Amino acid sequence: MHFDHVGIATPDAAGLAALFAELFDAPVAHEETFDGMSVVFHELENGYFELLEPHEEGAISKFLDKRGGGIHHVAIETDDIEGALRTAEAAGVDRIDEEPRPGAWGHEVAFLHPKSTGGVLVEFVSH
């Protein structure tokens, strides 16, 4: 496993994308509208910033309402997402997703509950 990306909730993905492109010299690697939100990935040498702007009610809009913009989750890439979920279960970690589901960029994803992971929403992602 290795670091894949950090997800950042924002009310203005385009504005934050322009800032990150200039500030970090990080090109946009991928953009899409997915699951009721705009998603923008900025490529860095060792991973991505994923910007998440909601367009309808959902997890990201609730996050923004409760906490404002900021880091939403940390994603770890794995070649065996089902095995990673089994390992999490064996370790007593509560899973939001019992099995992988479709994610942005056509990847499979599964989330672990932050109450079991030190307050951090962890996403497993398989490319």
Side-chain angles (χ1 to χ4, degrees):
M1 291 188 196
H2 67 272
F3 173 79
D4 189 77
H5 69 267
V6 61
I8 301 168
T10 178
D12 180 14
L16 192 55
L19 175 65
F20 281 7
E22 181 179 349
L23 188 62
F24 304 127
D25 192 28
V28 172
H30 180 76
E31 294 181 73
E32 70 179 276
T33 300
F34 172 80
D35 204 21
M37 64 186 140
S38 292
V39 182
V40 179
F41 285 87
H42 280 276
E43 186 171 6
L44 300 167
E45 185 174 322
N46 58 345
Y48 300 91
F49 281 122
E50 177 190 37
L51 309 181
L52 306 161
E53 177 188 347
H55 297 293
E56 57 188 50
E57 187 65 29
I60 302 302
S61 64
K62 290 176 186 174
F63 180 92
L64 287 170
D65 289 345
K66 186 175 182 180
R67 299 189 180 127
I71 294 175
H72 177 261
H73 66 272
V74 173
I76 306 300
E77 183 182 356
T78 176
D79 291 333
D80 182 7
I81 197 166
E82 292 89 358
L85 286 168
R86 286 191 302 274
T87 298
E89 181 180 28
V93 172
D94 290 328
R95 296 162 295 155
I96 293 172
D97 297 301
E98 298 293 321
E99 57 187 52
R101 60 183 166 96
W105 213 338
H107 301 155
E108 285 193 309
V109 301
F111 287 87
L112 305 180
H113 201 287
K115 72 179 181 181
S116 294
T117 54
V120 177
L121 180 61
V122 174
E123 174 188 8
F124 289 134
V125 60
S126 179
H127 294 214

